[in-house]
């Protein structure tokens, strides 16, 4: 299917009912639009896990020389089948679904601050004019390390300078407005202090061309260079792109929240949220055990892509261990 077909109203309303398990969102968008935003973003976390399987497999098989221009139809199709995907494809499908439902939405970016030298782009969705003209809502349909089960009113954050939005799964979230941009902080349940997760920018960076099915990271890179700090200017180089590409291609990442409880995979580690909100870690001893556990919690990921990813990338990473 083409990108236009995948992102059509019929396709995404079908995805909403079949994968997200939300019936009649059109009526809900009219009767209680804020409640629908909350429900949508939580449904993404519960039913459409963040993972890098399709992204890595498709890029590895793509003959294009320019890896800054990526064909996106296969990755979008994976999201719509319920297999999930990375933040870019989760956000694109949510933005288009919201557009079909009559919302004024677009894709925006954040810069993660997980550790020095490992800043990365993160894609999210912004929605304008929901309750009244001029208000602004933030939705993050998928992250690797810190879930957010609700839409956040950024207009309220701006008014108050700080807004505590409470707990989602194993983390506590808050937002701040510091005069230039919004920041999101998170704190695991067993931690004492909040950590900065990302800085959010409000520009429209919906960088997908539905006519040719290309996501143009090069144009996005130029946009960031023009808009953001000197430290980020230094990141927008081919070496920085190569570093991020290696991170994605050499590690297996999957995070989801079936029934609101975290089930995360990072390479050979599985983390499951217990009743107290803590993540209990198990080291998996074989690639067969990994496949069994992933598909136990995420049955829609039982695909040849998952098998290919683990066989080719994990054998290289762990040699005889897996």
């Amino acid at each position: 299917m083409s990108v236009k077909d995948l992102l059509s109203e019929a396709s995404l309303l079908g995805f909403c009912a079949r994968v997200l398990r939300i019936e009649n969102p059109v009526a809900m968008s009219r009767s209680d639009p804020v409640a629908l935003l909350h429900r949508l973003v939580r449904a993404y976390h519960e039913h459409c896990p963040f993972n890098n399987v399709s992204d890595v497999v498709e890029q590895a098989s793509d003959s294009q020389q320019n890896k800054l221009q990526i064909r996106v139809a296969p990755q979008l199709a994976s999201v719509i089948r319920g297999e999930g995907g990375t933040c870019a494809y989760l956000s694109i499908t949510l933005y288009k679904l919201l557009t079909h439902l009559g919302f004024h939405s677009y894709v925006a970016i954040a810069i993660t601050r997980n550790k020095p030298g490992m800043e990365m782009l993160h894609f999210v969705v912004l929605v304008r004019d929901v309750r009244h003209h001029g208000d602004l809502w933030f939705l993050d349909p998928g992250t690797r390390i810190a879930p957010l089960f609700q839409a956040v009113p950024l207009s309220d954050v701006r008014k108050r300078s700080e807004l505590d939005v409470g707990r989602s799964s194993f983390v506590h979230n808050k937002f701040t407005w510091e005069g230039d941009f919004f920041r999101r902080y998170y704190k695991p349940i067993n931690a004492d202090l909040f950590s900065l997760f990302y800085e959010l920018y409000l520009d429209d960076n919906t960088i997908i061309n539905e006519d040719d099915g290309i996501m143009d990271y090069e144009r996005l890179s130029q946009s960031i260079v023009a808009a953001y700090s000197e430290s980020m200017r230094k990141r927008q180089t081919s070496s920085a792109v190569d570093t991020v590409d290696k991170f994605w291609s050499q590690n297996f990442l999957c995070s989801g929240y079936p029934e609101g409880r975290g089930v995360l995979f990072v390479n050979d580690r599985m983390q499951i949220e217990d009743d107290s909100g803590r993540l209990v870690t198990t080291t998996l001893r074989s690639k067969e055990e990994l496949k069994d556990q992933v598909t136990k919690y995420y049955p829609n990921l039982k695909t040849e892509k998952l098998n290919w990813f683990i066989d080719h990338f994990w054998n290289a990473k762990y040699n005889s261990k897996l």
Side-chain angles (χ1 to χ4, degrees):
M1 293 179 69
S2 69
V3 168
K4 274 192 173 181
D5 290 336
L6 289 166
L7 296 180
S8 68
E9 182 175 3
S11 172
L12 289 175
L13 288 180
F15 161 73
C16 188
R18 184 183 65 258
V19 175
L20 302 183
R21 305 178 191 178
I22 299 175
E23 299 289 343
N24 204 4
V26 175
M28 199 172 178
S29 69
R30 296 167 182 159
S31 63
D32 196 342
V34 172
L36 178 58
L37 294 182
H38 290 319
R39 190 169 175 189
L40 279 168
V41 74
R42 184 178 181 108
Y44 264 82
H45 283 89
E46 292 189 342
H47 305 302
C48 212
F50 174 98
N51 68 82
N52 64 332
V53 174
S54 182
D55 201 31
V56 170
V57 173
E58 294 301 334
Q59 289 193 50
S61 63
D62 196 335
S63 61
Q64 293 181 107
Q65 295 300 309
N66 184 1
K67 294 301 182 181
L68 291 173
Q69 293 187 325
I70 299 170
R71 295 189 179 94
V72 298
Q75 292 93 321
L76 293 173
S78 293
V79 174
I80 291 168
R81 287 193 298 266
E83 298 164 20
T86 60
C87 58
Y89 306 109
L90 296 170
S91 292
I92 288 169
T93 55
L94 177 56
Y95 133 73
K96 284 297 292 186
L97 174 58
L98 288 167
T99 300
H100 291 313
L101 292 171
F103 291 93
H104 178 192
S105 65
Y106 62 93
V107 176
I109 62 168
I111 307 298
T112 66
R113 303 294 191 188
N114 297 332
K115 61 178 69 173
M118 278 294 287
E119 297 91 347
M120 291 186 182
L121 295 182
H122 179 58
F123 294 82
V124 296
V125 176
L126 295 181
V127 189
R128 296 188 181 278
D129 308 330
V130 177
R131 290 181 304 193
H132 53 77
H133 180 72
D135 71 349
L136 182 65
W137 291 76
F138 167 89
L139 293 82
D140 189 342
T143 73
R144 183 171 66 89
I145 61 173
L148 184 61
F149 291 169
Q150 60 185 286
V152 176
L154 293 182
S155 302
D156 292 353
V157 177
R158 183 177 276 154
K159 289 176 185 176
R160 304 177 190 179
S161 296
E162 180 173 316
L163 183 65
D164 188 322
V165 296
R167 175 179 170 180
S168 294
S169 185
F170 61 91
V171 299
H172 201 101
N173 292 283
K174 71 175 182 180
F175 283 74
T176 65
W177 167 250
E178 300 177 23
D180 295 317
F181 40 75
F182 294 94
R183 286 191 172 106
R184 179 184 167 193
Y185 294 83
Y186 74 101
K187 178 172 72 69
I189 296 303
N190 59 344
D192 296 324
L193 301 174
F194 281 93
S195 298
L196 175 62
F197 189 9
Y198 48 65
E199 297 167 352
L200 172 66
Y201 302 89
L202 304 185
D203 299 341
D204 185 341
N205 276 296
T206 308
I207 57 168
I208 185 171
N209 185 324
E210 293 184 38
D211 291 323
D212 61 16
I214 294 291
M215 179 178 290
D216 192 348
Y217 278 99
E218 191 164 31
R219 182 169 68 82
L220 177 62
S221 177
Q222 293 168 354
S223 172
I224 295 170
V225 168
Y228 309 138
S229 68
E230 183 62 26
S231 64
M232 287 311 301
R233 292 172 196 265
K234 295 176 182 178
R235 294 278 304 157
Q236 305 312 309
T237 63
S238 59
S239 61
V241 173
D242 290 343
T243 298
V244 173
D245 185 60
K246 289 178 181 178
F247 174 79
W248 286 114
S249 64
Q250 296 177 2
N251 294 277
F252 173 65
L253 309 167
C254 182
S255 302
Y257 304 87
E259 299 181 357
R261 181 171 293 188
V263 180
L264 290 69
F265 295 87
V266 181
N267 295 331
D268 62 345
R269 288 174 292 136
M270 176 176 68
Q271 296 178 300
I272 298 180
E273 182 183 348
D274 66 14
D275 292 339
S276 69
R278 296 171 183 266
L279 292 177
V280 178
T281 301
T282 301
T283 300
L284 305 174
R285 300 182 179 278
S286 70
K287 64 184 179 183
E288 288 75 23
E289 186 179 9
L290 170 67
K291 294 175 186 178
D292 288 345
Q293 291 296 330
V294 171
T295 56
K296 172 185 175 181
Y297 290 100
Y298 306 112
N300 287 335
L301 264 173
K302 193 172 185 178
T303 64
E304 286 304 312
K305 284 184 181 181
L306 179 69
N307 293 335
W308 187 94
F309 183 99
I310 292 173
D311 289 342
H312 286 72
F313 288 84
W314 279 51
N315 285 346
K317 190 178 185 71
Y318 291 101
N319 297 316
S320 62
K321 181 179 178 182
L322 291 181

